[in-house]
Amino acid sequence: MLYIKSDGSLDEGMELVSHPCSIDFHRKKFPWEDIVRKALSLGYRSHNTSTCGLHVHIGRKQLGYSYEEQEEVISRIMFFFESHWNELFKFSRRTAYSVDRWAARHGYNDKPKEILEKAKKSTKGRYACVNITNADTVEIRLFRGTLKFNSFMATLELVDSICQNAVCLNDDDMNKQSWADFVLGIKPEYTELIRYLKEKRLYVNEPVSEED
């Protein structure tokens, strides 16, 4: 289920990578709760480090049947991150410096496809909040590492919710959608995500400042 890698951004420690699987497998069958509990008992850290991140990869084939459909959905995913940056930044637990270094914004545009085209010409490489440099996956890099099961699972449920949102809505719908609209559409079985949003005061439509 997991394999271990080294990573140039880590001063010490290791990077854990899961094999591809569905969100349902992650939620119901993957023993993540046991894994994070064991890691904590062995003295490992993730949140309280200087470089550790939680990166979520999405298979491009899961976003559309054709390349054109995939590109449209990816552009709307990127648009969502730019439109709701303050809320997602608060969710991520990262510092502003960490985001700028490892998961930088592409920049807002009210046309999703313009954000995607700008990203393709960017010099950020993979160090962007939504990394599109991989051939087979889109990588979400915004989130800080964690060994807290609720925070970990809430992150996976959030990414799945964002992807489903981008698949189901068109560009005009995305422009009209508020954060509250998005939150109200989260699947009720995503209990870890809903609980985490409530803990972060992101489940209600309260304005979130950059300072948060």
Side-chain angles (χ1 to χ4, degrees):
M1 291 187 186
L2 288 170
Y3 58 96
I4 297 173
K5 295 174 62 178
S6 61
D7 188 278
S9 64
L10 296 175
D11 298 324
E12 57 183 342
M14 59 187 176
E15 178 178 356
L16 291 177
V17 182
S18 74
H19 288 279
C21 54
S22 68
I23 182 66
D24 284 342
F25 192 90
H26 278 299
R27 293 180 64 246
K28 299 174 182 178
K29 296 182 180 180
F30 211 114
W32 283 118
E33 197 160 9
D34 294 335
I35 291 168
V36 296
R37 186 185 301 115
K38 183 65 175 181
L40 287 168
S41 72
L42 293 173
Y44 285 102
R45 294 180 297 149
S46 182
H47 177 90
N48 295 318
T49 63
S50 58
T51 60
C52 191
L54 171 56
H55 302 166
V56 184
H57 284 258
I58 308 146
R60 286 177 179 259
K61 290 182 179 179
Q62 279 64 54
L63 300 178
Y65 291 107
S66 68
Y67 175 79
E68 291 73 21
E69 288 177 348
Q70 293 167 19
E71 289 282 280
E72 286 194 6
V73 173
I74 291 167
S75 73
R76 289 195 286 271
I77 290 171
M78 300 177 82
F79 176 80
F80 185 90
F81 273 82
E82 295 300 332
S83 298
H84 304 293
W85 180 259
N86 291 344
E87 289 85 358
L88 293 169
F89 175 70
K90 184 174 183 179
F91 186 104
S92 76
R93 307 175 308 281
R94 279 194 187 266
T95 64
Y97 171 80
S98 176
V99 166
D100 288 341
R101 176 66 181 86
W102 306 108
R105 295 181 69 171
H106 289 292
Y108 177 80
N109 190 302
D110 61 5
K111 297 178 180 178
K113 294 180 183 64
E114 292 295 326
I115 299 175
L116 177 60
E117 291 307 312
K118 179 181 178 182
K120 289 180 178 180
K121 301 171 185 176
S122 173
T123 58
K124 295 182 178 70
R126 65 191 180 97
Y127 298 115
C129 59
V130 182
N131 168 28
I132 59 170
T133 64
N134 301 312
D136 299 317
T137 67
V138 175
E139 180 189 23
I140 310 300
R141 298 176 53 90
L142 180 60
F143 310 107
R144 188 170 182 168
T146 184
L147 289 175
K148 184 179 178 183
F149 176 74
N150 168 246
S151 303
F152 177 85
M153 193 53 62
T155 301
L156 298 189
E157 292 176 348
L158 174 68
V159 171
D160 182 69
S161 298
I162 292 171
C163 291
Q164 292 304 316
N165 189 61
V167 167
C168 294
L169 301 185
N170 59 35
D171 290 5
D172 289 339
D173 292 334
M174 291 287 288
N175 263 296
K176 297 172 184 175
Q177 185 184 52
S178 68
W179 176 257
D181 293 332
F182 168 73
V183 167
L184 290 173
I186 291 171
K187 295 177 181 179
E189 61 266 31
Y190 282 5
T191 54
E192 300 295 348
L193 173 57
I194 292 170
R195 181 157 68 93
Y196 185 86
L197 290 170
K198 289 180 177 179
E199 288 175 358
K200 291 288 186 179
R201 296 187 61 80
L202 290 170
Y203 197 69
V204 291
N205 194 27
E206 293 183 352
V208 180
S209 69
E210 291 278 359
E211 288 72 20
D212 288 338

